[in-house]
Amino acid sequence: MADTVDFDKLPGLRDYSGEQTSRQGVDEISDVVNQLAAADIPSCVIGVKALRYFGAGRVTDEWDLCIPDHKLEAARHLLLSADDGAKYEVAKPPPPIPSSRRHAFPCFRLKGYNFWFILVPSSDCFVDPSLADHVERSRNGVPYASLVQFARSLLLQQLIADIADLIDGMDLDIDWGVQNIGFETLQEESVKFNELRNQRVAADGDGHGMRSPQVMEQLWSERASKEAKDRRIEPMKQGRYFTRWRRIKSPEDPRTKDRPV
C-alpha cells in the first residue's frame, strides 16, 4: 500500500481554507504598508503583483513587499507582536525555484484569510523603498517599485519572463530602455549585485538562484524589439493586440485604469 502523503508538510503548499479578500488583497496590503510606515519602515510592492500593476496578465495570491535590509527584522517583529494581538502569522514559504530566493525570506499570512505576503530585502531585488525615485503609488495609494527601477531590478535578477511581461504590459521598446535604464551604470552594478547574490545563495545551501554575468543591454534589446514583441502575441490575439497584454482598443497606460492595483 502506498504511503499516505502529508500535504501539510509539502513546501509552499497553500491552505485555502480561509476567507477571500476584497479587491484582490489591495486593502490588506495597504494595511500592512501603513502599519510598517507608522513604524518608520518604508516598503513597496515588487514581483508578480507589480507586473500586474504594469499591465501584465499574471495571477498570484502572494504579495512581495520590498523592505530595506536594516529594517527587515524590525518589520518581522512588528507584524508578529502588535499590541492589540497580531493579525498575521508565519506562513510556509513558497517552493524553491531556480530563478528566485523568495523561499528564503519571511512569509506571512493574514490570519483566517487567503492572503500571503513575503518580505524581500532591498539588496536582493535592487529596489530601495526609502528612495523617492524608486517608488510610485497606484491610484489606490499602494506603493509599487517605480517603472524604471523595476525594469532595472528585473534585468539585474535576470528574470527573463518577467522582463518580457513588463515590456509587453507597458509597451516598452529598445529606445525606452536606452533613454531610461542607464545600461553602462547598470552593467557595473551587476558585478557587485551578482557576487553578493551568489554568496547568499551559497549560504542558503540549496543552489537556487545562482547568477553568471550577462550583458544587460542585450537582455533588454532581445526582448524589447518589435519582432520579439510580435512573436509573443498569441495567434488568437493577432490583429486585436499590439503586445501580448495590450489590446488595440484599450491603448491607455494600465496604471490609469480603474482596477484593483
Side-chain angles (χ1 to χ4, degrees), residues 132-152:
D133 62 342
H134 281 210
V135 180
E136 61 179 77
R137 288 188 178 270
S138 72
R139 296 177 65 185
N140 287 313
V142 177
Y144 288 85
S146 65
L147 177 59
V148 171
Q149 195 60 31
F150 192 46
R152 300 178 90 234

Side-chain angles (χ1 to χ4, degrees), residues 8-9 16 30 35 41 43 68 76 93 99 118 129 140 150 158 161 168 171 178 183 198 240:
D8 288 337
K9 294 183 179 180
Y16 285 89
S30 295
Q35 185 174 342
I41 303 174
S43 62
R76 188 196 66 80
S99 61
I118 297 171
N140 287 313
F150 192 46
Q158 301 175 29
D168 292 344
D171 191 24
V178 172
F183 289 112
N198 288 343
R240 298 185 295 115

Side-chain angles (χ1 to χ4, degrees), residues 170-241:
M170 291 299 297
D171 191 24
L172 306 176
D173 55 23
I174 292 176
D175 288 342
W176 183 92
V178 172
Q179 295 169 15
N180 292 278
I181 291 177
F183 289 112
E184 183 175 350
T185 300
L186 190 66
Q187 192 67 46
E188 296 174 355
E189 292 169 328
S190 70
V191 176
K192 182 177 180 180
F193 179 84
N194 283 330
E195 288 178 353
L196 179 60
R197 184 185 182 93
N198 288 343
Q199 289 173 8
R200 291 174 173 173
V201 169
D204 290 343
D206 54 20
H208 291 282
M210 295 291 284
R211 291 287 180 266
S212 58
Q214 298 289 330
V215 179
M216 297 292 102
E217 188 166 6
Q218 183 177 350
L219 285 179
W220 180 264
S221 61
E222 287 179 349
R223 285 145 195 90
S225 68
K226 186 178 186 307
E227 294 76 16
K229 290 160 69 174
D230 287 344
R231 284 196 300 269
R232 291 194 294 267
I233 301 176
E234 299 168 14
M236 293 296 292
K237 292 183 177 180
Q238 295 289 341
R240 298 185 295 115
Y241 286 71

Side-chain angles (χ1 to χ4, degrees), residues 96-138:
I97 56 175
S99 61
S100 173
R101 291 189 65 236
R102 293 174 74 239
H103 63 283
F105 304 139
C107 184
F108 302 87
R109 177 179 183 170
L110 176 60
K111 291 180 179 179
Y113 288 84
N114 297 331
F115 174 82
W116 297 268
F117 61 98
I118 297 171
L119 302 185
V120 181
S122 58
S123 64
D124 197 86
C125 61
F126 203 67
V127 175
D128 186 347
S130 66
L131 300 178
D133 62 342
H134 281 210
V135 180
E136 61 179 77
R137 288 188 178 270
S138 72

Side-chain angles (χ1 to χ4, degrees), residues 19-35 61 63 65 79 87-88 109-111 113-117 142:
E19 296 183 33
Q20 296 299 319
T21 60
S22 62
R23 299 201 306 158
Q24 299 180 20
V26 169
D27 295 334
E28 288 74 17
I29 199 64
S30 295
D31 287 344
V32 176
V33 167
N34 292 336
Q35 185 174 342
D61 292 307
W63 292 76
L65 202 58
L79 294 168
K87 297 168 57 177
Y88 311 104
R109 177 179 183 170
L110 176 60
K111 291 180 179 179
Y113 288 84
N114 297 331
F115 174 82
W116 297 268
F117 61 98
V142 177

